[in-house]
């Protein structure tokens, strides 16, 4: 319920206060009605907070969508080339590892951190970003990069691991609803698909 606590606005609090006051005033003469009023007030309070949460969550996801899909094309392309074992496009520019770090850092913050804080919806995060989080995270080269990084700082990319795990569970549930069962090959990218999708990223135009 962290999302609820983070999105209580003045009008929601006012609704709860008004209905709560009315319920208290009527509790002696009309206890049944007072309980009903209290329940209605609570339901309206939760609905108002949820509406605010969904509105703000959608606005943030739209912002992250623009940042990742429009403004990070260069970084995504460089990271994909690195994961495919290709050389950087410009010798004097960022290395492939630099670009990969930028992509993974985006997944860590804002995505993972804001999801963990209850600021964005897990469903929207899954719908918008699961394919790309999965694509980069499942790459064997990326896994080696993360392992090497964690040897220097054990807590590195812990939020990313949590993000991937949560989104993967949502993917499994989606597959199970569709097929009735879910096997590892249903959500794990094959080497052929991994290469295909990374090559698409490596050809991104800016």
């Amino acid at each position: 319920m962290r999302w609820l606590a983070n999105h209580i606005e003045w009008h929601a609090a006012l609704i709860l206060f008004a209905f709560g006051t009315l319920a208290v005033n009527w509790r002696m003469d009309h206890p049944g009605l007072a309980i009903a009023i209290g329940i209605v007030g609570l339901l309206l309070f939760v609905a108002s907070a949820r509406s605010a949460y969904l509105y703000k969550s959608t606005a943030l996801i739209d912002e992250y969508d623009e940042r990742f899909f429009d403004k990070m094309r260069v970084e995504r392309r460089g990271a994909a080339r690195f994961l495919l074992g290709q050389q950087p496009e410009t010798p004097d520019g960022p290395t492939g590892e630099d670009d990969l770090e930028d992509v993974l850092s985006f997944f860590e913050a804002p995505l993972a951190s804001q999801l963990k804080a209850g600021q964005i919806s897990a469903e929207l995060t899954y719908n918008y970003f699961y394919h790309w989080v999965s694509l980069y995270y499942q790459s064997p080269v990326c896994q080696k990069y993360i392992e090497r990084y964690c040897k220097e700082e054990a807590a590195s990319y812990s939020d990313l691991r949590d993000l991937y795990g949560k989104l993967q569970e949502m993917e499994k549930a989606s597959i199970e609803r569709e097929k009735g069962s879910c096997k590892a090959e249903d959500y794990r990218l094959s080497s052929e698909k991994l290469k295909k999708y990374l090559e698409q990223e490596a050809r991104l135009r800016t």
Side-chain angles (χ1 to χ4, degrees):
M1 297 293 285
R2 180 177 292 178
W3 65 267
L4 178 61
N6 289 338
H7 295 87
I8 296 174
E9 298 187 341
W10 68 267
H11 55 273
L14 185 60
I15 289 172
L16 185 62
F17 175 77
F19 275 80
T21 300
L22 190 58
V24 169
N25 290 337
W26 286 11
R27 73 185 188 282
M28 298 301 295
D29 297 332
H30 305 282
L33 183 58
I35 292 173
I37 290 173
I39 292 173
V40 170
L42 182 61
L43 291 175
L44 290 174
F45 168 74
V46 172
S48 178
R50 178 167 176 77
S51 178
Y53 163 68
L54 291 176
Y55 176 80
K56 292 179 180 179
S57 174
T58 301
L60 284 173
I61 287 291
D62 286 342
E63 177 186 326
Y64 303 155
D65 175 274
E66 179 182 7
R67 178 176 163 187
F68 185 73
F69 294 109
D70 293 337
K71 298 179 179 179
M72 291 186 63
R73 287 175 172 264
V74 172
E75 291 85 353
R76 288 165 55 201
R77 187 173 65 204
R81 288 176 61 87
F82 172 71
L83 296 179
L84 289 166
Q86 300 175 6
Q87 295 296 318
E89 293 178 286
T90 54
D92 298 331
T95 66
E97 284 197 3
D98 291 336
D99 289 325
L100 180 60
E101 182 176 1
D102 288 340
V103 171
L104 297 183
S105 293
F106 171 82
F107 292 153
E108 278 255 300
L111 278 192
S113 61
Q114 292 290 70
L115 180 60
K116 189 175 182 179
Q119 295 295 325
I120 57 176
S121 158
E123 289 76 13
L124 288 176
T125 306
Y126 167 78
N127 290 334
Y128 277 69
F129 293 105
Y130 171 72
H131 172 77
W132 283 269
V133 172
S134 178
L135 172 61
Y136 283 93
Y137 192 82
Q138 287 187 24
S139 164
V141 177
C142 182
Q143 284 298 307
K144 290 179 181 179
Y145 170 84
I146 291 175
E147 288 173 8
R148 188 174 73 248
Y149 212 98
C150 288
K151 287 181 180 178
E152 301 175 6
E153 190 175 347
S156 297
Y157 297 117
S158 59
D159 284 346
L160 173 57
R161 286 192 291 272
D162 292 342
L163 173 67
Y164 174 71
K166 184 174 185 63
L167 298 185
Q168 188 181 75
E169 288 303 312
M170 295 177 72
E171 174 72 358
K172 290 179 183 178
S174 176
I175 294 171
E176 287 177 353
R177 285 193 301 270
E178 182 179 343
K179 296 184 176 181
S181 63
C182 180
K183 301 177 181 178
E185 56 264 29
D186 293 327
Y187 60 88
R188 292 286 303 180
L189 292 171
S190 66
S191 57
E192 292 79 10
K193 285 186 177 181
L194 193 66
K195 184 173 183 291
K196 173 186 174 183
Y197 294 144
L198 285 174
E199 286 176 343
Q200 291 174 356
E201 290 283 281
R203 292 194 297 268
L204 284 173
R205 295 181 179 180
T206 57

